[in-house]
Amino acid sequence: GEDMKILITTVGGLTSPEIILAYKEKGIEVVGVDPFEEAVGRFFVDRFFTVPFSGEDEEGFVNRINQLLKEEPNISAIIPCGNEDVLTVAKNRHRFSVPCMVSDYRALEKAFDKSWVYTFLTGISSPLAPKFFLVKNRDELVEKAHSLGYPDKPLWLKPPHGRGGRGVVFVKKIASFSTIIKEKNTNLTPLEALIEVLPEEFPSPLIIMENLTSPFYSFYALAEDGRIIVSLTHIREWGNASQTFRGSVYYDELLQEKIAPLIETLKLSFCINVELATDENGNIKVFDFNPRISASSGVDRRWGVNFPYLSLSLLLGKALDIDMDKVKEVKGRFYRYFDVIWQ
């Protein structure tokens, strides 16, 4: 194994252990941090510490990480996992004494802004561009919702910077009482009800976009300065907006070619995740873009593609061991099964 120590942030995600295990099976010592004292990842890392939440206390977060770098000698790299952590670490990378697994801050700001991503894809006439509008007030929302086919077609309303399915509203006319009683209504809200609670002018613009449905795809890539080195695609067979509980894995060269311009333009490096779903005509469209290590990227080590470890190797200038012939043959299915940990 490797004689190495790394620091990982946001170790509280339900599926974070997958990332931690991807490093630990290589013999790497993991120091984990999270704002939440009871973060489940604390049971998977070698040592755990709490840190201020970077989204609310940037200075406190940076100072605490620097304190840990002094107290825990020989940490080789910082690996931020939450969106806020990624942006905070990228913005302050010059203040840390070790390499950080992040792309350029300005590129990441664009990448985390869904309206920028959708606009870019539309601008290059990408087949992956979803139909959407950025709306600033109630009147614009109503007008654009109707031009996208509401009430006949359901839509999604969301903030440009939401993450992990947060803040996504499924805008759909409720057809009958049984819709409310029998269906699983994930955030189901008719436009009429939204209008009642939304202010005349929104504090910040919102995205209204076409409804995308299953199959959902998760695309995982390792990139260096905008060039994709290796990728694998997961089809979400069972799960929710941000987690896969059963999925199949395969290599999709065509999808990689379509996503490549986005990664290339932003000159992104390391682990990247793109979430896609299907429109009413059966076309695959992008709905989320995560230029960071993401929960399921540890799954693919079963097929010899350990994204978290490859990403660390890239950061530290180590040789990458990737067998592309093997990658192209990948076909498999995984199931997530939660275990119990006693304190």
Side-chain angles (χ1 to χ4, degrees):
E2 300 260 348
D3 184 20
M4 198 195 296
K5 182 157 54 166
I6 57 175
L7 186 146
I8 301 182
T9 78
T10 318
V11 295
L14 263 187
T15 43
S16 296
E18 208 57 53
I19 298 168
I20 297 164
L21 295 171
Y23 288 117
K24 291 199 63 166
E25 72 175 25
K26 292 286 185 184
I28 295 170
E29 200 178 326
V30 177
V31 174
V33 301
D34 198 274
F36 183 45
E37 178 76 43
E38 297 289 333
V40 67
R42 67 178 301 160
F43 300 107
F44 292 81
V45 298
D46 295 293
R47 265 180 316 295
F48 173 79
F49 302 96
T50 54
V51 294
F53 175 50
S54 63
E56 284 163 14
D57 182 4
E58 185 177 315
E59 206 47 35
F61 174 86
V62 171
N63 291 337
R64 178 75 171 124
I65 296 288
N66 274 325
Q67 184 192 352
L68 289 173
L69 289 176
K70 284 193 188 82
E71 289 171 14
E72 290 282 326
N74 307 325
I75 286 175
S76 299
I78 295 172
I79 298 168
C81 289
N83 290 16
E84 295 86 0
D85 289 358
V86 169
L87 286 166
T88 302
V89 169
K91 190 173 167 188
N92 297 281
R93 67 197 294 178
H94 59 284
R95 296 170 66 185
F96 301 117
S97 57
V98 302
C100 305
M101 195 192 286
V102 285
S103 295
D104 175 71
Y105 176 67
R106 284 178 303 278
L108 289 171
E109 268 194 316
K110 289 176 181 170
F112 280 123
D113 178 350
K114 293 180 185 66
S115 62
W116 186 92
V117 172
Y118 299 167
T119 303
F120 171 80
L121 291 171
T122 306
I124 61 164
S125 306
S126 168
L128 302 179
K131 285 188 209 132
F132 84 104
F133 293 101
L134 201 56
V135 292
K136 297 188 290 295
N137 54 47
R138 225 166 16 190
D139 295 343
E140 275 186 16
L141 171 62
V142 173
E143 185 205 327
K144 298 303 184 193
H146 287 293
S147 77
L148 284 169
Y150 187 87
D152 301 333
K153 296 175 184 175
L155 306 169
W156 285 354
L157 180 72
K158 57 186 174 184
H161 290 278
R163 71 183 179 99
R166 288 174 183 81
V168 177
V169 181
F170 185 42
V171 186
K172 182 182 177 183
K173 194 162 177 68
I174 295 176
S176 65
F177 183 63
S178 66
T179 311
I180 305 171
I181 298 297
K182 292 183 180 151
E183 282 183 31
K184 263 193 184 174
N185 305 308
T186 325
N187 298 346
L188 173 70
T189 314
L191 186 63
E192 297 72 16
L194 270 175
I195 297 308
E196 286 184 23
V197 294
L198 284 169
E200 186 60 56
E201 291 291 326
F202 305 157
S204 57
L206 294 171
I207 290 170
I208 183 84
M209 65 182 286
E210 64 180 315
N211 178 37
L212 301 174
T213 56
S214 61
F216 286 85
Y217 301 82
S218 294
F219 173 87
Y220 296 95
L222 176 73
E224 183 175 23
D225 295 326
R227 181 182 67 86
I228 295 174
I229 298 169
V230 61
S231 77
L232 281 171
T233 300
H234 296 188
I235 297 181
R236 187 175 305 157
E237 298 177 346
W238 178 50
N240 57 32
S242 62
Q243 290 161 337
T244 305
F245 302 134
R246 185 182 77 232
S248 52
V249 183
Y250 68 106
Y251 174 68
D252 191 332
E253 197 167 6
L254 204 61
L255 186 56
Q256 178 177 305
E257 278 172 25
K258 289 178 186 170
I259 289 171
L262 184 55
I263 293 171
E264 213 171 282
T265 299
L266 293 169
K267 297 274 178 284
L268 296 171
S269 292
F270 312 115
C271 283
I272 291 153
N273 156 242
V274 186
E275 298 289 327
L276 309 102
T278 312
D279 73 6
E280 58 183 351
N281 302 315
N283 302 310
I284 302 175
K285 305 278 184 85
V286 168
F287 70 87
D288 212 354
F289 186 51
N290 301 306
R292 56 168 169 79
I293 205 163
S294 45
S296 293
S297 58
V299 168
D300 299 318
R301 62 189 200 278
R302 159 79 175 73
W303 292 278
V305 185
N306 184 332
F307 282 110
Y309 179 70
L310 286 168
S311 199
L312 178 65
S313 301
L314 187 64
L315 177 68
L316 300 177
K318 293 170 174 262
L320 302 181
D321 178 22
I322 303 166
D323 182 346
M324 274 316 291
D325 292 334
K326 200 172 158 190
V327 169
K328 287 173 181 174
E329 297 301 311
V330 168
K331 275 214 179 345
R333 177 179 270 144
F334 67 93
Y335 296 81
R336 278 225 175 89
Y337 183 77
F338 295 105
D339 203 347
V340 173
I341 288 174
W342 291 98
Q343 197 166 357

